[in-house]
Amino acid sequence: MALINGLYTEGEKIADTKAPKVPVPEMWTTRKFDAMLVNPANRRKLSVIIVGTGLAGAAAGATLGEAGYRVKSFCFQDSPRRAHSIAAQGGINAAKNYKEDGDSIYRLFYDTVKGGDYRARESNVYRLAEVSANIIDQCVAQGVPFAREYGGLLDNRSFGGVQVSRTFYARGQTGQQLLIGAYQALERQIAAGTVEMYTRHEMLELIVKDGKARGIIARDLVTGEIETHVADVVVLASGGYGNVFFLSTNAMGSNVTANWRAHRKGAYFGNPCYTQIHPTCIPVSGDHQSKLTLMSESLRNDGRIWVPKNREDCDKDPRQIPEEDRDYYLERIYPSFGNLVPRDIASRQAKNVCDEGRGVGPMVGDFRRGVYLDFADAIARLGEDAVRAKYGNLFDMYARITGENPYEVPMRIYPAVHYTMGGLWVDYDLQSSIEGLYVTGEANFSDHGANRLGASALMQGLADGYFVLPNTIRDYLAKGPFEALADDDPAVAEARAAVEARTEKLLSINGERTVDSFHKELGNIMWEYCGMERTEEGLNKAIGLIRGLREEFWRNVKVLGSADTLNQSLEKAGRVADFLELGELMCIDALHRRESCGGHFRAESQTEDGEALRHDDEFLYVAAWEFTGGDGTNGEFGNMGAPVLHKEDLVYDAIELKQRSYK
Amino acid sequence: MTTTTHEAEVAAAPREEGLMNLTLKIWRQNGPRDNGRLVTFKVKDISPDMSFLEMLDVLNEQLQAEGTEPIAFDSDCREGICGMCGLMISGEAHGPEKTTTCQLHMRSFKDGETITIEPWKADPFPVIKDLVVDRGSFDRIIQAGGFISANTGAAPKAEAILVPKENADRAFVAAECIGCGACVAACPNASGMLFMGAKITHLGELPQGQPERDARVVSMVNQHDAEGFGGCTNIGECSHACPKGIPQDVISTLNKDLRTALKRGR
Ligand SMILES: Cc1cc2nc3c(=O)[nH]c(=O)nc-3n(C[C@H](O)[C@H](O)[C@H](O)COP(=O)(O)OP(=O)(O)OC[C@H]3O[C@@H](n4cnc5c(N)ncnc54)[C@H](O)[C@@H]3O)c2cc1C
Ligand code: SF4
Ligand code: FES
């Protein structure tokens, strides 16, 4: 087939997402009713593998364990409690309308679709809003200590991109408290014997037999042993891939390997280029930087963002710059949302003012990369104690990292990669294009379109894990148990051999460059050309650079140590190898989508005042990419052919399509 | 550029202000059965803005360039919240500041200083390799009862459960524990009472936690003892080392709950 732009081909459209054919508000009830049931006595005979113990994975593991299935749960950290979800700060949305401010399921649905710049699937988002209230009930029952008012009732705050207060929070540690709740529920099932936990284990391959996902190959990271685990169904809850940029707010270990291995086995990758760049992170301080730290978006409720009007003021003490010389640019450009515009907009405007030479803080390259987030007004209005009570831990963290006191000097912030809306493509049931492979949480692409609203990833992870997956997966499990797979089955043997060969190869190259040096270089390419602003020229260039880097990696990487002990360089090498393939696909996706939407900003497609301009006539679809193997010119490893694009048309029945406006 | 060398003295070169040269004595241990030993490394031109773990990253890059296997250590979030990191730094759990190892910055050290870096040393946390230990015993304590039994879907409406702010706040303070294990590492008895007391207090302050309160404490304490953690003799090193400021009074709550439960014949 002829290559489009020399890069990909187009395959058949995705005709059906399996959502029930009823109006959106009735879909979920219909689906739950139609899904087959599994007799409790049969559940013990059915096995489920769950990769990941973040909110999505731990919630699913606990719930399926309680239901009586045999669950095997995997994570690469030393305890399920350490999954990256733990780091979420700000809060979790739910349409409870506690504040009587006009919130409803429909409004949460509407805000999420609009926030996602009309690139999310209506059916899934409606369901998310619908189950959101149950999440809070579930978490409170588990003992999650949400913030409370003096009367003992739960408190709410507001978050970017919306005008109601629907965010539940536990100081700046919401993710921690929610995850501990899910973790404890999971540990309870481990004690009950329904869940078997494999910590310090990494999934390195998916086993597919007769078109069905039937298990995984995992490496015991302590002993190095390669293990085969077979089940009736496999769930990936392995999180996002923001670390393809090297620097991001993600945890050091966050990676794409589980997703990518499944993608190589046939699971479509949905909208890989949709990346969220969060506006409020602590700026880079030097070459040694290993990761970036988010300052919760909730700070934008009380902090005011500004830069000097004049470049000459950029290196002055901000406190000496008079009011009239400050540009509160978000308040100026977006009077109705002000500092609370969605993340993609706040980030791009920060980049714009810095590109104009009005950034603050140390020079990074030719520009200062920082803007002020100022609490002086809030401290004057509410008092320092009130501000401390609300944001104390965030202020402390800022002080610790930068060595500056944010109660006295305005914070400096700059956007950083934070979240990936893209992920494995799933249907309404959260099943991927491989039968029996389900994908939940940040690992799937489903709910946030081209931009995620604050406090909605936690909501999605728990919705998927506690309520959605357990209902949809039983419909599949009802057809099981499937025929047992022997260790010497060709499907198992092939997957094992692939893992062993890759491990051996990585250890035998013995080149000149460390894994981190490749990772950093890849990150620079991605940030430069596939970051906040993307152009055709830049993306084409990036694809060439990534291919070259991947080729060099498989020739020149240096991984010391052996395969039969804890070997952190080997772990990283495998992850970076997969990032080197993913990066190329992200650029191809970004290149093919010649429109701007949400976090995907193509410089060629903007309105007169520089806002993202969508092209609904051409791009009102989900891009689901199918992997094809290469012709081997790149060697045996890291070999990629031209991917095949499958479009899933987006249909809006309940919501009218509009150009987003936050003015 | 930052470089390291095993034995050669670091040449005094002109450099940016505030950069530091340091001597590191780091615990190396090939595996659980290896005896382990301190090995000396030197790093130079360390920026005060680096985090402690970034300083180790720099050392590891250098070691790899020299063909030496990098030092294994754990970290994940590097934001002080996941509890994955944890080192004994010159004899203090998580080092000289009241924070996690990953949030410790090099501005807390002085040029020319010698820093000893060791793993948590406590029987219930066996060393896996170098600075990496196995804290599975903490998970097993939680398995023994550190939860509220609330099956998915069976939850009452959240608004039906009122929690006085005072209790909610105390529960929250205790719930902040990140399970890092510094309390155990700092305790001469290798006691896990602060960790366990934090969970008992978190769940015990809440109305939802009452039905299982007695059973929880008995079962957790039994598991704690079976794992080989020692008893509490009120020394207070745990709370002092805790990066989350878990107060020592959670141990009093634990003891009180245990007495009550035993009295009721659990
Ligand atoms: C700093 C920060 C703050 C945030 N704040 C908020 C917020 O306030 N509100 C909000 O809604 N969202 C927030 N988010 C986003 C949100 O936290 C994440 O999107 C969400 O927690 C992801 O959950 P998850 O369960 O999908 O995956 P994760 O929590 O990332 O879990 C992934 C799991 O998969 C395992 N895993 C991965 N690969 C493998 C493999 N190959 N083998 C075995 N195991 C594997 C890991 O061990 C881990 O257990 C924040 C994100 C960051 C980075
Ligand atoms: S009580 Fe403190 S020191 Fe102990 S595990 Fe919890 S957070 Fe760490
Ligand atoms: S790495 Fe997560 S607390 Fe230090």
Side-chain angles (χ1 to χ4, degrees):
Chain A
M1 211 190 291
L3 289 184
I4 304 172
N5 292 334
L7 290 170
Y8 65 96
T9 62
E10 195 168 328
E12 273 174 37
K13 279 199 175 180
I14 297 173
D16 188 8
T17 65
K18 311 250 177 65
K21 311 282 176 284
V22 293
V24 163
E26 291 156 36
M27 281 180 183
W28 184 227
T29 310
T30 309
R31 182 67 190 119
K32 279 192 290 187
F33 185 76
D34 289 348
M36 280 195 277
L37 297 174
V38 180
N39 174 329
N42 285 339
R43 295 183 192 157
R44 276 308 289 161
K45 298 179 195 138
L46 293 162
S47 52
V48 183
I49 283 175
I50 303 178
V51 179
T53 60
L55 291 182
T63 305
L64 293 171
E66 287 160 8
Y69 299 101
R70 270 189 298 129
V71 179
K72 282 185 176 183
S73 172
F74 293 81
C75 70
F76 61 74
Q77 294 92 342
D78 73 332
S79 163
R81 67 181 291 153
R82 311 212 197 278
H84 168 58
S85 294
I86 199 103
Q89 301 170 349
I92 176 166
N93 288 330
K96 282 239 180 216
N97 194 25
Y98 276 178
K99 295 276 170 185
E100 283 295 340
D101 55 2
D103 200 11
S104 63
I105 291 173
Y106 184 84
R107 189 177 296 281
L108 175 53
F109 162 59
Y110 174 83
D111 284 343
T112 308
V113 169
K114 177 185 174 197
D117 213 357
Y118 304 93
R119 289 293 175 266
R121 194 191 277 159
E122 273 193 345
S123 54
N124 289 49
V125 180
Y126 193 92
R127 174 177 63 196
L128 176 64
E130 196 176 338
V131 303
S132 64
N134 302 349
I135 298 173
I136 304 302
D137 298 342
Q138 182 61 34
C139 296
V140 168
Q142 292 169 342
V144 170
F146 284 118
R148 296 203 176 244
E149 294 170 341
Y150 281 96
L153 289 166
L154 294 165
D155 192 18
N156 294 126
R157 55 163 69 142
S158 66
F159 244 62
V162 302
Q163 288 168 315
V164 291
S165 281
R166 63 160 73 100
T167 303
F168 293 78
Y169 65 102
R171 297 215 188 128
Q173 288 118 286
T174 315
Q176 179 196 25
Q177 295 308 325
L178 295 175
L179 184 62
I180 295 298
Y183 155 79
Q184 288 170 184
L186 184 70
E187 292 294 340
R188 174 173 162 242
Q189 292 310 307
I190 295 171
T194 60
V195 176
E196 241 180 288
M197 186 68 228
Y198 294 84
T199 59
R200 291 201 200 265
H201 272 67
E202 181 160 29
M203 165 189 166
L204 294 175
E205 203 48 83
L206 181 72
I207 300 170
V208 181
K209 171 77 176 174
D210 300 333
K212 288 192 177 77
R214 289 300 311 278
I216 63 169
I217 307 292
R219 181 167 178 268
D220 178 330
L221 301 179
V222 175
T223 63
E225 199 176 328
I226 307 289
E227 302 171 355
T228 303
H229 297 272
V230 172
D232 292 303
V233 67
V234 177
V235 179
L236 299 186
S238 46
Y241 50 85
N243 276 350
V244 66
F245 290 85
F246 186 72
L247 287 183
S248 83
T249 62
N250 289 7
M252 301 299 286
S254 299
N255 71 88
V256 78
T257 290
N259 265 8
W260 194 255
R261 295 286 119 197
H263 174 57
R264 280 180 146 262
K265 282 274 166 83
Y268 296 173
F269 214 112
N271 299 330
C273 81
Y274 289 168
T275 310
Q276 177 160 85
I277 302 195
H278 196 292
T280 52
C281 303
I282 300 179
V284 174
S285 76
D287 288 340
H288 54 262
Q289 197 90 29
S290 60
K291 70 154 292 175
L292 294 168
T293 302
L294 176 81
M295 292 276 97
S296 168
E297 175 164 30
S298 59
L299 292 171
R300 287 201 273 147
N301 283 323
D302 288 302
R304 296 181 69 197
I305 295 177
W306 63 276
V307 288
K309 282 188 181 156
N310 311 311
R311 290 170 185 218
E312 306 77 69
D313 289 346
C314 287
D315 54 358
K316 280 200 188 140
D317 180 339
R319 290 165 297 185
Q320 308 300 324
I321 302 176
E323 259 326 282
E324 63 272 18
D325 289 338
R326 300 176 176 195
D327 180 11
Y328 295 89
Y329 55 92
L330 290 177
E331 297 171 27
R332 170 171 60 79
I333 310 174
Y334 307 99
S336 62
F337 279 74
N339 292 302
L340 291 178
V341 290
R343 294 173 176 178
D344 52 333
I345 294 183
S347 290
R348 205 152 31 73
Q349 293 298 356
K351 176 180 189 299
N352 289 345
V353 294
C354 293
D355 285 349
E356 285 167 20
R358 295 194 288 140
V360 297
M363 297 291 272
V364 179
D366 296 336
F367 293 97
R368 293 175 201 279
R369 295 273 167 216
V371 302
Y372 290 124
L373 176 63
D374 196 338
F375 284 85
D377 284 1
I379 291 172
R381 181 164 38 95
L382 308 165
E384 188 169 317
D385 286 347
V387 170
R388 192 183 305 277
K390 252 177 153 169
Y391 306 114
N393 64 323
L394 296 169
F395 277 46
D396 289 350
M397 184 156 77
Y398 182 87
R400 189 168 305 287
I401 292 174
T402 62
E404 289 171 12
N405 178 357
Y407 292 99
E408 281 169 14
V409 191
M411 286 185 184
R412 281 178 297 111
I413 53 166
Y414 197 67
V417 172
H418 176 60
Y419 183 88
T420 47
M421 282 73 71
L424 290 187
W425 181 90
V426 289
D427 64 14
Y428 186 70
D429 282 355
L430 306 182
Q431 184 165 215
S432 73
S433 56
I434 299 177
E435 219 183 305
L437 179 72
Y438 288 73
V439 191
T440 60
E442 192 173 340
N444 75 25
F445 89 106
S446 77
D447 294 358
H448 308 292
N451 173 56
R452 176 174 72 76
L453 288 182
S456 57
L458 300 182
M459 170 171 71
Q460 186 215 338
L462 290 181
D464 286 358
Y466 285 131
F467 300 108
V468 179
L469 182 85
N471 278 300
T472 60
I473 208 171
R474 68 181 148 90
D475 192 55
Y476 183 79
L477 282 169
K479 297 176 214 144
F482 302 111
E483 209 184 314
L485 267 194
D487 266 358
D488 58 356
D489 189 286
V492 176
E494 177 274 327
R496 267 193 92 99
V499 170
E500 283 161 1
R502 231 165 97 93
T503 308
E504 232 179 80
K505 173 76 179 171
L506 287 169
L507 287 168
S508 65
I509 299 170
N510 203 12
E512 298 286 321
R513 289 181 63 179
T514 62
V515 175
D516 266 7
S517 82
F518 282 100
H519 195 182
K520 276 188 192 178
E521 188 173 338
L522 173 67
N524 285 337
I525 299 171
M526 296 301 293
W527 181 241
E528 186 65 27
Y529 302 111
C530 198
M532 267 187 283
E533 189 171 306
R534 300 149 174 196
T535 65
E536 182 170 339
E537 194 194 338
L539 289 163
N540 273 314
K541 182 164 175 197
I543 292 167
L545 291 171
I546 294 169
R547 287 179 177 169
L549 192 63
R550 191 165 66 231
E551 184 275 325
E552 189 192 338
F553 178 89
W554 285 106
R555 179 167 53 73
N556 196 26
V557 74
K558 175 161 165 175
V559 183
L560 298 169
S562 66
D564 56 2
T565 70
L566 181 76
N567 186 338
Q568 295 172 327
S569 314
L570 178 64
E571 294 164 26
K572 269 194 238 164
R575 294 170 193 165
V576 170
D578 289 333
F579 281 140
L580 282 163
E581 300 184 15
L582 166 76
E584 177 174 331
L585 184 68
M586 289 172 72
C587 292
I588 294 176
D589 185 42
L591 187 65
H592 112 281
R593 191 171 281 279
R594 282 172 286 100
E595 67 162 349
S596 298
C597 54
H600 170 62
F601 189 81
R602 279 289 298 264
E604 300 91 342
S605 180
Q606 48 183 307
T607 64
E608 272 173 16
D609 15 334
E611 302 293 341
L613 183 63
R614 294 199 321 261
H615 294 295
D616 293 337
D617 47 338
E618 266 187 276
F619 293 104
L620 194 58
Y621 62 79
V622 174
W625 297 93
E626 183 185 349
F627 183 86
T628 64
D631 57 7
T633 43
N634 233 339
E636 185 188 351
F637 299 93
N639 201 11
M640 286 170 78
V644 185
L645 170 64
H646 299 275
K647 295 177 179 172
E648 176 205 325
D649 287 328
L650 290 168
V651 181
Y652 286 95
D653 287 328
I655 288 179
E656 191 196 340
L657 270 174
K658 284 197 195 132
Q659 272 303 332
R660 241 172 15 152
S661 168
Y662 290 92
K663 294 224 162 167
Chain B
M1 271 310 293
T2 309
T3 53
T4 65
T5 131
H6 286 264
E7 56 286 314
E9 265 307 300
V10 178
R15 56 204 168 104
E16 250 179 76
E17 203 160 338
L19 297 185
M20 290 174 271
N21 295 343
L22 302 163
T23 303
L24 307 173
K25 293 190 170 169
I26 303 182
W27 186 259
R28 299 227 68 170
Q29 181 173 340
N30 286 329
R33 270 177 294 275
D34 182 21
N35 278 335
R37 68 216 66 87
L38 284 172
V39 180
T40 303
F41 303 92
K42 297 208 169 184
V43 290
K44 67 176 211 175
D45 292 352
I46 294 297
S47 151
D49 288 332
M50 274 183 203
S51 71
F52 194 80
L53 298 182
E54 283 169 346
M55 184 273 292
L56 288 181
D57 290 343
V58 165
L59 171 65
N60 273 343
E61 282 295 283
Q62 185 57 33
L63 290 179
Q64 291 177 81
E66 293 169 7
T68 307
E69 237 193 282
I71 294 149
F73 64 89
D74 267 331
S75 78
D76 201 25
C77 73
R78 295 205 178 182
E79 292 194 4
I81 195 76
C82 74
M84 186 95 177
C85 65
L87 300 174
M88 279 312 248
I89 300 171
S90 297
E92 285 183 283
H94 290 306
E97 310 280 335
K98 203 169 176 64
T99 188
T100 56
T101 301
C102 62
Q103 287 291 292
L104 178 65
H105 281 69
M106 296 312 293
R107 64 181 77 90
S108 301
F109 298 88
K110 284 192 303 289
D111 188 24
E113 206 172 324
T114 298
I115 307 171
T116 312
I117 307 173
E118 294 168 286
W120 288 166
K121 286 194 176 153
D123 287 344
F125 294 160
V127 173
I128 294 175
K129 185 172 180 176
D130 294 345
L131 304 171
V132 175
V133 300
D134 177 355
R135 284 167 293 199
S137 47
F138 267 10
D139 285 335
R140 292 187 291 273
I141 291 179
I142 298 297
Q143 278 159 34
F147 48 74
I148 289 172
S149 301
N151 279 5
T152 304
K157 288 260 168 276
E159 48 272 45
I161 304 173
L162 293 185
V163 185
K165 194 157 188 317
E166 199 181 310
N167 300 83
D169 285 349
R170 183 152 190 259
F172 193 93
V173 167
E176 286 194 76
C177 164
I178 58 175
C180 62
C183 46
V184 177
C187 174
N189 308 326
S191 172
M193 293 288 259
L194 193 70
F195 166 78
M196 192 163 49
K199 189 49 58 195
I200 299 283
T201 306
H202 162 204
L203 300 178
E205 283 290 335
L206 299 172
Q208 306 91 298
Q210 299 315 312
E212 293 162 295
R213 192 163 175 176
D214 289 352
R216 175 181 308 124
V217 67
V218 174
S219 173
M220 285 176 79
V221 168
N222 285 339
Q223 188 64 35
H224 170 270
D225 296 351
E227 294 287 351
F229 291 100
C232 172
T233 49
N234 290 317
I235 298 168
E237 285 293 334
C238 53
S239 197
H240 180 72
C242 175
K244 296 292 141 178
I246 303 294
Q248 220 183 325
D249 68 7
V250 299
I251 299 180
S252 317
T253 303
L254 187 161
N255 284 330
K256 188 160 142 262
D257 277 20
L258 186 61
R259 278 196 310 276
T260 314
L262 294 176
K263 236 186 277 163
R264 287 199 207 136
R266 293 286 175 153

